[in-house]
Amino acid sequence: GRDRASEKQGKGEVQDPYGYALPGGGGSGTGHGGSAFEIAPYRDPDRSATIRCMANKPALSGALPVPFSEREFYLREFRGRTLAVALPAEERETLPRIRLVLDDLQEGGSRVLLLSPDAAGLEEHLAGRVISAEQPRLEGEVWRRLGEWPQLGIVLSSRDRFAAGCRELALRLGIFKLVWIDRRGGLRAATGNRHSFLHLAELHSLLEGEGVGLANTDRVELWGEVSAMLEAGLPAVNLCSAEGLAEELFTYAGSGTLFTRDRYMSVRRLGIDDFDAAHDLIHRGVEEGYLVERSGEEVDAILASGFGAFVEGRHLAGIGALLPGGEERSGEIACLYTLARFLGEGVGGSLVGC
């Protein structure tokens, strides 16, 4: 992606890694009329970069000199960790479409295991960096291979037991996240609304009704496999399409469904390491018209006294603060804001109740 972006600079446009051409040259500069702009990837639902014009619309008071990037945030979260991407036999043709995302993970310092029953497809993509799940001393072999190159294909021989094989392998290797690729995307309710995330107890409730209330009743068996993965101890499973993989991994909104073993939202005081993400949420809320614009001093006060609702203990899903009022025994609940992905999930109530 970076090489293509460099080539486009001389032609007056920037190329997003996922194929979106943008006017201007380089990461920041001037466009028509001398308006300064900056590019923040993965901010839009279609995963194209966002150009934010700064000359005609002043930034929020106290804005950071460098915009918060969701993509960079998640890459930092994944750095030094190993995740697995499962490609069932029917998804073998999607491997080229996720290659850029895998390369992004690699460049960000993550290690990726590609699990598939299709040995030929893995060989075509990974050129010899493929082993069998039947490999003797598998754990040691995977560790050594990932030390040589951070992408490794693992062939699971049984197509009939592919999901079970992925579960056993992920638990055996201590993978923190398994991403399952399915062209139909995440789990949807019968109304068509996507379930952005579910914890195990909620998934059990849906399965007890044999999929009643779901749009994807034909995939009840797959939801059962996801349940078995979580019950066995896998912390998290993401399910999305190949086209939605970048959005699922690198944005708050996601594109599929995140399944977790435990109810994964917790509320705590904001710490200094949370301020970048919290400031970005305040900025979003102002831009969307949900929050009033505040001075730099007011933003500092909100950050200093604010609470955050965190997903999996790390990812900020919502914020709020209690500021003292002008009168005795009065106060203001300030900057109460929740990301759209978590609307209706009780994030705001948890923040107010803390």
Side-chain angles (χ1 to χ4, degrees), residues 14-22 46-49:
V14 175
Q15 184 74 21
D16 173 77
Y18 293 87
Y20 296 89
L22 302 166
D46 63 358
R47 301 186 307 284
S48 63

Side-chain angles (χ1 to χ4, degrees), residues 18 42 46-47 85-88 90-102 114 179-186 219 238-250 255-256:
Y18 293 87
Y42 304 106
D46 63 358
R47 301 186 307 284
V85 178
L87 289 162
E90 58 271 21
E91 299 293 333
R92 60 167 295 176
E93 301 300 328
T94 66
L95 211 161
R97 300 206 291 276
I98 67 172
R99 183 166 185 172
L100 283 174
V101 183
L102 301 180
L114 281 170
V179 183
W180 187 280
I181 301 297
D182 188 311
R183 67 194 63 193
R184 294 164 291 185
R219 289 197 284 171
N238 294 71
L239 193 145
C240 66
S241 66
E243 291 77 10
L245 181 59
E247 189 176 352
E248 179 67 11
L249 290 181
F250 299 146
S255 67

Side-chain angles (χ1 to χ4, degrees), residues 26-110:
S28 63
T30 57
H32 298 294
S35 297
F37 66 82
E38 54 203 18
I39 296 175
Y42 304 106
R43 293 293 296 272
D44 294 333
D46 63 358
R47 301 186 307 284
S48 63
T50 296
I51 297 180
R52 183 181 300 133
C53 294
M54 306 298 289
N56 298 325
K57 183 178 179 181
L60 176 66
S61 298
L64 299 173
V66 178
F68 178 84
S69 165
E70 294 174 28
R71 175 178 178 273
E72 294 305 320
F73 171 79
Y74 280 108
L75 285 174
R76 286 196 303 271
E77 289 294 312
F78 297 154
R79 187 171 297 147
R81 309 181 79 183
T82 303
L83 65 147
V85 178
L87 289 162
E90 58 271 21
E91 299 293 333
R92 60 167 295 176
E93 301 300 328
T94 66
L95 211 161
R97 300 206 291 276
I98 67 172
R99 183 166 185 172
L100 283 174
V101 183
L102 301 180
D103 290 345
D104 279 351
L105 288 165
Q106 175 179 326
E107 290 179 14
S110 303

Side-chain angles (χ1 to χ4, degrees), residues 50-231:
T50 296
I51 297 180
R52 183 181 300 133
C53 294
M54 306 298 289
N56 298 325
K57 183 178 179 181
L60 176 66
S61 298
L64 299 173
V66 178
F68 178 84
S69 165
E70 294 174 28
R71 175 178 178 273
E72 294 305 320
F73 171 79
Y74 280 108
L75 285 174
R76 286 196 303 271
E77 289 294 312
F78 297 154
R79 187 171 297 147
R81 309 181 79 183
T82 303
L83 65 147
V85 178
L87 289 162
E90 58 271 21
E91 299 293 333
R92 60 167 295 176
E93 301 300 328
T94 66
L95 211 161
R97 300 206 291 276
I98 67 172
R99 183 166 185 172
L100 283 174
V101 183
L102 301 180
D103 290 345
D104 279 351
L105 288 165
Q106 175 179 326
E107 290 179 14
S110 303
R111 297 178 294 268
V112 182
L113 298 176
L114 281 170
L115 314 182
S116 174
D118 180 20
L122 290 177
E123 284 287 351
E124 182 179 351
H125 173 71
L126 293 167
R129 294 185 291 272
V130 178
I131 63 174
S132 168
E134 309 297 324
Q135 179 86 26
R137 302 187 306 277
L138 179 67
E139 294 88 343
E141 184 66 16
V142 170
W143 171 60
R144 281 187 288 271
R145 291 292 194 105
L146 287 176
E148 297 169 359
W149 188 258
Q151 292 185 38
L152 178 67
I154 302 182
V155 181
L156 288 87
S157 57
S158 176
R159 298 189 177 208
D160 294 337
R161 294 190 69 255
F162 179 67
C166 288
R167 177 180 74 241
E168 293 163 5
L169 187 64
L171 291 169
R172 187 174 172 184
L173 296 175
I175 301 300
F176 84 99
K177 180 186 290 289
L178 174 70
V179 183
W180 187 280
I181 301 297
D182 188 311
R183 67 194 63 193
R184 294 164 291 185
L187 186 150
R188 291 186 178 273
T191 59
N193 295 328
R194 174 170 61 99
H195 285 281
S196 294
F197 69 93
L198 289 170
H199 60 77
L200 183 57
E202 292 171 324
L203 181 57
H204 280 166
S205 296
L206 292 173
L207 291 174
E208 286 171 3
E210 297 183 348
V212 174
L214 296 177
N216 314 111
T217 54
D218 58 322
R219 289 197 284 171
V220 169
E221 184 177 349
L222 176 57
W223 310 137
E225 292 289 357
V226 171
S227 176
M229 292 176 186
L230 299 175
E231 289 169 358

Side-chain angles (χ1 to χ4, degrees), residues 258-317:
L258 169 62
F259 301 89
T260 60
R261 177 178 172 81
D262 302 310
R263 184 168 182 83
Y264 66 111
M265 187 184 70
S266 59
V267 177
R268 61 170 172 79
R269 286 286 298 269
L270 294 173
I272 193 72
D273 291 335
D274 308 316
F275 283 9
D276 282 358
H279 187 283
D280 184 64
L281 292 197
I282 295 171
H283 189 79
R284 282 167 175 262
V286 172
E287 286 189 328
E288 293 168 2
Y290 294 119
L291 299 179
V292 65
E293 187 167 355
R294 294 177 183 268
S295 68
E297 291 80 1
E298 290 173 320
V299 170
D300 287 351
I302 288 165
L303 294 176
S305 61
F307 286 77
F310 291 86
V311 173
E312 296 184 287
R314 300 183 305 278
H315 310 316
L316 191 60

